[in-house]
Amino acid sequence: MLRYLIRRLLWALVLFIAVTFVTYVIFFLVPANPARLAAGQSATPERVEEVKHFLGLDRPFYVQYGKFLKRLVLEGSLGQSFVTRRSVNEEILRAAPITASLVFGAMVLVLSIAIPLGIFSALRPRSLLDRAAMIYVLIGISLPSFWIGLVLSYVVGFKLGLTPIAGYCEVFSVPEAAICGGLWDWAYHMILPCLTLAIVVAGTYVRFVRAEVMDTLSMDYVRTARAKGAPEPTVIRSHVLRNAMLPVVTMVGMDIGLLLGGAIFIETVFGLNGLGGTAIESIGRFDLPVLQGVVIFGAIAIIAFSLVVDLLYAWIDPRIRLT
Amino acid sequence: MSEPLLDVRDLRTEFSTDDGIVRAVDGVSFTIEPGQVLGIVGESGSGKSVTCLTVMGLNDAKFATSTGEVLFRGEDLLKAPGARLREIRGNEIAMIFQDPMTSLNPVHKIGRQLAEAVLLHEDVPRKQAYARALELLKAVGIPRAERRIDDYPHQFSGGMRQRVMIAMALINNPDLIIADEPTTALDVTTQAQILALLKRLQEDFGSAVIMITHDLGVVAETADEVIVMYAARIVERGHVRSIFNEPRHPYSWGLMGSLPRLDMNVERLYQIPGQPPSLLNPPAGCRFHPRCAYAMPICREQDPALAVTGTDPSHEEACHLDAETKARRAAELVSSLMTGAST
């Protein structure tokens, strides 16, 4: 177990270096001049050179990459934004809870839609409910998230006035100047974005849960359970669900990791300045440190959640041993 | 004779598929007495498994329909409500399946799966159910059963898992055990152990057994009565000795000729030519005629009924061939096997 964890962490380190390095290389391949942008429109060429030196952009990229790594390891700092000079750590800490609220909120909704719906359609294939569920799956998979987001915010938020159409409220440590705050305001503002993301993601999950349950229903051990005289609810609960849910656990973990890197469209539609929005903004400004911060956060999220999935899997499936 | 334990009368089971209706069991009748072992032999797809799944009421109700009667101690199981069937399943009639590797739930401990079978039928404390599970694990010869009761199925070998399945089948002391190819998925040495175990326990527990198999050797070792099935129908039936001493159906001859023997040196094993027919559209007349070396014009037109043609009144077969030819051919086959044994 310990050896397994150590090996996983070493792998995470390798992955981390690879991801950050690739981000650096891509950034330096792009023909842009971040110093020019940072210095401002009216800056003289001398001034731009000065800024370039100040930001360290006049050094070869591997030197810059080395300095970046050194600062990260020794100070735990991701550096400062080229543009705003704010600490990237702070920037990420501000944006991450927004994206996390969106992703976890949506995941709770996804599972509470997809698990019951998937199970019932698997138990009654070709029934009315199953057909309705499959139509929903088609819609969920085909419609772009921003379209659903726009329609929901127009209908529910604007026309019906049931929810706000944009914005984010802090739950804890509400800033003085904030117009809203606290758990209620947070939930009230997050419901529509979460629902939008959930509608998009749940389609895939309904189909997946349905397929897994149907697959498990045809297993020999399910027939054994019936041959023992177990009533159908017991068969489903005790013999089908746990086995059918194993792959779903993997999928949830992977998707959470992936989405934490930023759900760009939905953040944009609902004016949430989360990681997705921050990433887009930093790309537009050639603000490498901020972009690097978002990439690193995303990579860590994926690494962490795949580890969580593996540990969870070993716990619920006795056949799997971590070695 | 006392009332039979199980009396199956003119059982027909159909499955509706996308290609049409498949008659998987077509007019099968048999009885089994308490404590008796009935062997059902046939190729894959001959309807032996479906017959037994129908008896258990385990066919998928969405696609399968059955007619006829399945009288278990006089009660028609085909007409019994679901709740009554669940009472009987695992309690009065238990089943052992072919593949022990997949027949146990991978995420539950062995003890829990065994105890579940008790708790489903008896209102006893959990502890008592586990005690019974442990007792049965010992009875089927699981070494260190006290510890292994807390193991998961993947920690058992195939043979050990089949022992667990047998323990599960016996745990409620059933009157009838249906064993669907219980040794097919096991290697040869394990097969012999499992068969011996089944036979010993069957005698200890006094259960009747329906032994479904495609292996005549298994039948010869375990069964009292034998039914040979071909293409959803019974083609021959009789006492095990009678069947092996005087097989009277060309299909049975084929089955026997294809038995490998350690004590005989044959160039090639006999092979029944062709494939079993599609049950979507079975051949007219005798269903075996396209593969039968003795087929006559009448075989293509008329379906032979089961009838006694030899000296043993309990030995029936469904074949148009005349009695003398049958007797002669059976004698030839048996003597060739016998001389083979002596050389």
Side-chain angles (χ1 to χ4, degrees), chain B residues 141-163:
Chain B
I142 303 277
R144 294 180 295 120
E146 292 85 355
R147 258 202 273 160
R148 306 229 58 185
I149 193 168
D150 286 325
D151 278 353
Y152 289 97
H154 72 273
Q155 290 163 298
F156 283 68
S157 67
M160 284 295 157
R161 286 190 216 186
Q162 197 58 305
R163 285 170 195 264

Side-chain angles (χ1 to χ4, degrees), chain B residues 88-287:
Chain B
I88 292 172
R89 282 204 287 261
N91 192 21
E92 288 159 76
I93 307 179
M95 198 155 177
I96 300 168
F97 295 101
Q98 177 171 349
D99 191 352
M101 303 310 274
T102 55
S103 294
L104 290 161
N105 190 334
V107 302
H108 293 321
K109 290 175 178 171
I110 294 294
R112 175 176 167 173
Q113 299 192 49
L114 284 168
E116 186 189 20
V118 179
L119 294 168
L120 281 168
H121 297 287
E122 268 178 87
D123 193 16
V124 293
R126 193 160 283 272
K127 225 174 158 179
Q128 203 175 319
Y130 273 87
R132 178 97 179 115
L134 182 61
E135 190 187 318
L136 261 294
L137 282 181
K138 285 178 180 166
V140 296
I142 303 277
R144 294 180 295 120
E146 292 85 355
R147 258 202 273 160
R148 306 229 58 185
I149 193 168
D150 286 325
D151 278 353
Y152 289 97
H154 72 273
Q155 290 163 298
F156 283 68
S157 67
M160 284 295 157
R161 286 190 216 186
Q162 197 58 305
R163 285 170 195 264
V164 172
M165 288 302 290
I166 293 171
M168 194 184 286
L170 286 167
I171 202 160
N172 290 317
N173 213 343
D175 298 313
L176 177 63
I177 296 171
I178 300 174
D180 189 358
E181 308 234 10
T183 58
T184 305
L186 304 173
D187 66 71
V188 182
T189 42
T190 318
Q191 280 185 10
Q193 291 168 10
I194 293 291
L195 278 184
L197 174 73
L198 254 177
K199 196 158 173 59
R200 180 168 62 75
L201 292 172
Q202 182 262 330
E203 281 158 13
D204 291 355
F205 283 70
S207 311
V209 173
I210 297 180
M211 179 74 75
I212 303 172
T213 180
H214 61 254
D215 185 344
L216 281 176
V218 170
V219 168
E221 256 174 78
T222 53
D224 303 313
E225 296 283 327
V226 180
I227 288 174
V228 181
M229 281 187 77
Y230 183 79
R233 290 187 177 161
I234 295 177
V235 292
E236 185 165 9
R237 75 156 112 237
H239 191 269
V240 64
R241 231 170 303 132
S242 180
I243 293 276
F244 279 89
N245 287 340
E246 201 193 352
R248 298 178 67 84
H249 194 282
Y251 179 63
S252 311
W253 300 339
L255 284 182
M256 289 208 192
S258 60
L259 264 188
R261 294 179 61 118
L262 280 179
D263 52 1
M264 245 174 80
N265 211 354
V266 281
E267 285 291 303
R268 277 182 81 93
L269 286 173
Y270 176 73
Q271 186 186 342
I272 305 174
Q275 294 288 320
S278 154
L279 294 174
L280 264 173
N281 197 4
C286 171
R287 289 182 177 185

Side-chain angles (χ1 to χ4, degrees), chain A:
Chain A
M1 181 72 190
L2 192 68
R3 279 181 56 152
Y4 173 82
L5 277 179
I6 290 169
R7 213 176 57 213
R8 278 302 291 257
L9 289 176
L10 287 177
W11 257 114
L13 204 66
V14 172
L15 197 63
F16 173 82
I17 290 173
V19 166
T20 50
F21 188 76
V22 167
T23 317
Y24 250 88
V25 170
I26 292 174
F27 191 81
F28 281 91
L29 285 177
V30 176
N33 193 348
R36 162 103 244 152
L37 283 160
Q41 288 282 320
S42 56
T44 58
E46 295 78 39
R47 176 80 184 135
V48 171
E49 279 309 307
E50 240 176 71
V51 171
K52 198 168 183 177
H53 179 70
F54 177 71
L55 295 175
L57 288 168
D58 52 348
R59 318 280 287 275
F61 88 91
Y62 51 85
V63 175
Q64 294 185 49
Y65 181 65
K67 283 178 82 176
F68 156 80
L69 274 187
K70 189 175 144 201
R71 195 170 50 223
L72 185 65
V73 174
L74 293 183
E75 300 165 33
S77 162
L78 288 162
Q80 289 170 310
S81 161
F82 282 171
V83 181
T84 63
R85 303 307 298 158
R86 284 181 58 189
S87 140
V88 175
N89 290 36
E90 270 174 40
E91 191 66 17
I92 298 293
L93 281 177
R94 180 201 57 78
I98 301 177
T99 300
S101 306
L102 177 63
V103 171
F104 285 101
M107 220 18 127
V108 169
L109 289 176
V110 164
L111 295 180
S112 44
I113 298 170
I115 291 178
L117 203 55
I119 292 171
F120 284 121
S121 12
L123 293 180
R124 301 266 178 282
R126 301 180 189 192
S127 66
L128 205 62
L129 179 85
D130 182 37
R131 286 178 200 277
M134 288 306 109
I135 289 172
Y136 162 65
V137 168
L138 196 67
I139 293 172
I141 291 174
S142 337
L143 287 183
S145 57
F146 59 83
W147 188 87
I148 296 178
L150 285 172
V151 168
L152 276 182
S153 74
Y154 178 74
V155 175
V156 182
F158 179 69
K159 279 283 176 190
L160 301 174
L162 294 176
T163 62
I165 52 172
Y168 179 77
C169 301
E170 296 288 342
V171 184
F172 313 105
S173 60
V174 184
E176 296 266 325
I179 48 160
C180 61
L183 191 64
W184 168 251
D185 275 348
W186 169 82
Y188 184 52
H189 280 79
M190 286 315 294
I191 179 81
L192 220 47
C194 286
L195 191 66
T196 307
L197 183 55
I199 288 173
V200 176
V201 177
T204 322
Y205 273 76
V206 171
R207 207 171 60 172
F208 190 58
V209 170
R210 178 180 183 264
E212 284 301 323
V213 171
M214 282 181 114
D215 208 35
T216 313
L217 277 170
S218 66
M219 289 291 167
D220 285 350
Y221 53 81
V222 172
R223 191 181 52 186
T224 305
R226 291 195 180 119
K228 275 195 253 186
E232 213 49 27
T234 310
V235 173
I236 303 294
R237 205 179 53 239
S238 168
H239 295 278
V240 175
L241 286 189
R242 188 159 162 197
N243 286 288
M245 285 307 132
L246 285 173
V248 179
V249 171
T250 314
M251 198 155 138
V252 172
M254 291 300 174
D255 278 352
I256 288 180
L258 213 61
L259 287 170
L260 278 180
I264 293 170
F265 288 130
I266 292 175
E267 287 182 18
T268 309
V269 168
F270 291 99
L272 297 168
N273 197 12
L275 290 168
T278 307
I280 290 284
E281 207 171 72
S282 63
I283 291 169
R285 291 169 172 174
F286 292 99
D287 195 348
L288 177 63
V290 176
L291 180 64
Q292 190 69 276
V294 175
V295 169
I296 289 171
F297 183 85
I300 290 176
I302 290 175
I303 292 167
F305 273 92
S306 60
L307 182 64
V308 168
V309 164
D310 285 355
L311 296 177
L312 208 60
Y313 218 93
W315 179 59
I316 50 183
D317 188 342
R319 282 166 297 182
I320 293 176
R321 285 284 159 269
L322 302 175
T323 47

